[in-house]
Amino acid sequence: MKALFLILALLAVFGTFSGSAEPVIKPLRGTAIEPYLLALHHGNSIVFNLSVGYLVSLFFWFLVVHLPERNRHRILRNNLSRRYQDFRESTIQILLSASIGPHDSRLSRELCDHRKFEEFFDRENKKRWHAALNGLQGNKDFIDEILLELELFAAEVLYVLNSVNIQDPTVHLFFKRLSENIYRL
């Protein structure tokens, strides 16, 4: 689609020069393009007006549609990324509270790296992982906090799905399955 816009823009630029009743502008005199511009130089006002109209429309489309939409996508992507990071960190914090009790808040940020997380909870024959599971079973508040984090993340995923026209079927399917799996949990 972008290639089509570019090709039409190049044709419109060519049409602007060839349809104009004005002589070839100084920067294009003596170039390889000048003979083509002179060959079509009939002063055709229809070609000129259509070409200028297309270029102006393309310019305003870029300003009014493309730039705001690209900015909107960037904001949505950053919000989803931040929400996912918050979800991971909060869930790890809950698991740490359930397994070892009070802890340094920096530890949950460190354990967002999945390798460090696995190492931390697999250490000592998975005693910490079993302690976390036992802590979750013994304290309903921990489960409620995890469910709240899942709901917040699911809401963000659904918002992105409803707000962005995802063209790639595999990406769309990934987000749909993610949303469904969160809902099932």
Side-chain angles (χ1 to χ4, degrees), residues 64-128:
V64 174
V65 176
H66 181 71
L67 287 179
E69 188 66 20
R70 197 171 86 192
N71 188 39
R72 184 172 156 271
H73 282 218
R74 184 183 50 77
I75 290 170
L76 288 172
R77 183 178 57 246
N78 290 342
N79 284 343
L80 181 62
S81 177
R82 190 183 75 242
R83 181 69 227 138
Y84 177 63
Q85 185 64 29
D86 290 346
F87 165 75
R88 288 174 56 191
E89 195 172 317
S90 297
T91 303
I92 289 170
Q93 209 164 28
I94 294 165
L95 291 174
L96 287 171
S97 295
S99 66
I100 62 174
H103 58 279
D104 185 3
S105 62
R106 289 178 285 175
L107 181 59
S108 59
R109 280 186 224 109
E110 289 176 24
L111 295 181
C112 283
D113 179 2
H114 72 290
R115 292 177 296 268
K116 290 181 181 179
F117 179 86
E118 289 175 3
E119 179 185 320
F120 182 84
F121 279 99
D122 283 348
R123 197 178 299 151
E124 299 174 22
N125 202 17
K126 297 189 180 187
K127 284 184 182 179
R128 287 186 179 146

